[in-house]
Amino acid sequence: MRHVSAACFIVLAYLTGMRPGEVMALEHGCCPDPAEGGRHLIYGRVFKGVHDQDGNHYSAGQVREVPWVAIPPVVTAIRVLEHLAPEGGLLFDASVHTIPRGRVSTGRVFGYEAMRHRIEDFAIWASQLAVRLGRGHEVVPDDPHGAIGVARFRRSLAWHIARRPGGLVALAIQYGHMRTAMSAGYAARGRGGIHELLDIETARATADTLTTLHDDLAAGAGISGPAARRAIHAAAQAPTFAGSIRTHRQARDILGNPALTVYDNPRSFLMCVYNRDRALCHRLDVGDAPRLDRCRPSCANVAHTDHHADQLLQHAQTLEKQAASETVPGPLADRLSQRAGQLRALADRHVHDRINAQEPTA
Ligand code: SF4
């Protein structure tokens, strides 16, 4: 029971962007099944900035004006908790989650300290299980910043959506989906919500990308691709805002400047110099940010740097090694070799087309 409540809390806090207190206050029935084709929404309470008419903080909070968007793993976690919690009760009722006291609601939720301990215990248990099953790569690594706690999930989510949209395969779909849900859905209309964190992290990621590109170009690195010249122009502005993004307004200024919308996309070995009208990833989609998880190499917003070309060659080599293995079936080996050939062709084209900041082509 301890691990189930911790696991559900982690899923909810990490994949919704709710504050810890808002997760703890969720009630049975907070996420009804939508009508056919609709999206699951969570109706919960918010506490931050809620005051009564005399200006006193209202500790009971109020029902959030705009519901949270729930992606499938979140709905699953809520359904698990609803099996445990009594009808109409709190999902994290302390008594319900404490065996042997059992399923009698007290109307009192966990304290943060108790949940913090459960999360730590869960991480230890999950790591031990991973070792026992011979899955060393799934061990939860030690965190240099100390215990995970309950408050770091929101910022981690924003950081990952902004910077690792094509990261771990299982999560890439969720991150991509979360950004769409947030920018096109209900969360974007809430005040002071996670979308502000998301904007700040996205602007910081953009600033970091431009600063790195600026330094690389100054050192004589080359760049190629249909968006290479636009990337060079954007990088020239990097020194003016590097390290200065602290507020949502600063982030919006950067994200709203079409000349600066440059995103690194390491998983696709390219840089996206985003222009909405030319974006191929938006053909079947809506939204005002690139879908890096659905990036298409033939897009007119693509630029490759020397680093990307090196990575293309390294990845091609890895695929060729896999293809040469006797354990790989023939058809799969053919596909791996074919993919390696495509990557090498991209790297060759970069070498042929590359320009640098001193001699941009027209
Ligand atoms: S398809 Fe184009 S716009 Fe979309 S992420 Fe890739 S390069 Fe950017």
Side-chain angles (χ1 to χ4, degrees), residues 265 270-272 274 279-281 290-292 294-296 299 301-302:
N265 193 355
L270 56 82
M271 189 173 275
C272 167
Y274 182 62
L280 289 186
C281 54
R291 291 294 311 265
L292 298 184
R294 293 189 191 170
C295 188
R296 307 263 293 276
C299 179
N301 291 337
V302 164

Side-chain angles (χ1 to χ4, degrees), residues 236-300:
Q237 299 184 54
T240 59
F241 55 76
S244 66
I245 305 159
R246 290 191 184 82
T247 66
H248 186 231
R249 174 176 289 217
Q250 289 168 328
R252 292 304 306 167
D253 285 348
I254 288 180
L255 297 177
N257 184 341
L260 296 179
T261 46
V262 178
Y263 304 84
D264 196 21
N265 193 355
R267 186 164 174 262
S268 299
F269 312 109
L270 56 82
M271 189 173 275
C272 167
V273 190
Y274 182 62
N275 176 324
R276 175 75 177 81
D277 297 336
R278 304 180 187 187
L280 289 186
C281 54
H282 282 300
R283 284 282 147 82
L284 301 172
D285 210 339
V286 291
D288 59 0
R291 291 294 311 265
L292 298 184
D293 56 315
R294 293 189 191 170
C295 188
R296 307 263 293 276
S298 53
C299 179

Side-chain angles (χ1 to χ4, degrees), residues 19-26 44-51 57-62 112:
R19 295 183 173 87
E22 293 160 4
V23 176
M24 299 283 206
L26 290 176
R45 290 183 169 276
V46 286
F47 301 92
K48 192 171 181 227
V50 180
H51 299 96
H57 181 245
Y58 191 46
S59 60
Q62 68 182 28
Y112 287 177

Side-chain angles (χ1 to χ4, degrees), residues 12-13 15-23 25-27 30 32 39-50 58 60-70 154 157 178 181-198:
L12 283 165
L15 291 179
T16 61
M18 288 184 194
R19 295 183 173 87
E22 293 160 4
V23 176
L26 290 176
E27 295 172 356
C30 64
R39 179 175 272 171
H40 276 96
L41 300 173
I42 305 172
Y43 299 87
R45 290 183 169 276
V46 286
F47 301 92
K48 192 171 181 227
V50 180
Y58 191 46
Q62 68 182 28
V63 174
R64 193 175 192 251
E65 218 174 286
V66 280
W68 299 91
V69 176
R154 299 178 84 226
L157 172 64
M178 287 291 289
M182 285 175 180
S183 56
Y186 292 86
R189 288 193 273 120
R191 291 189 308 269
I194 187 159
H195 66 288
E196 290 193 357
L197 277 181
L198 191 53

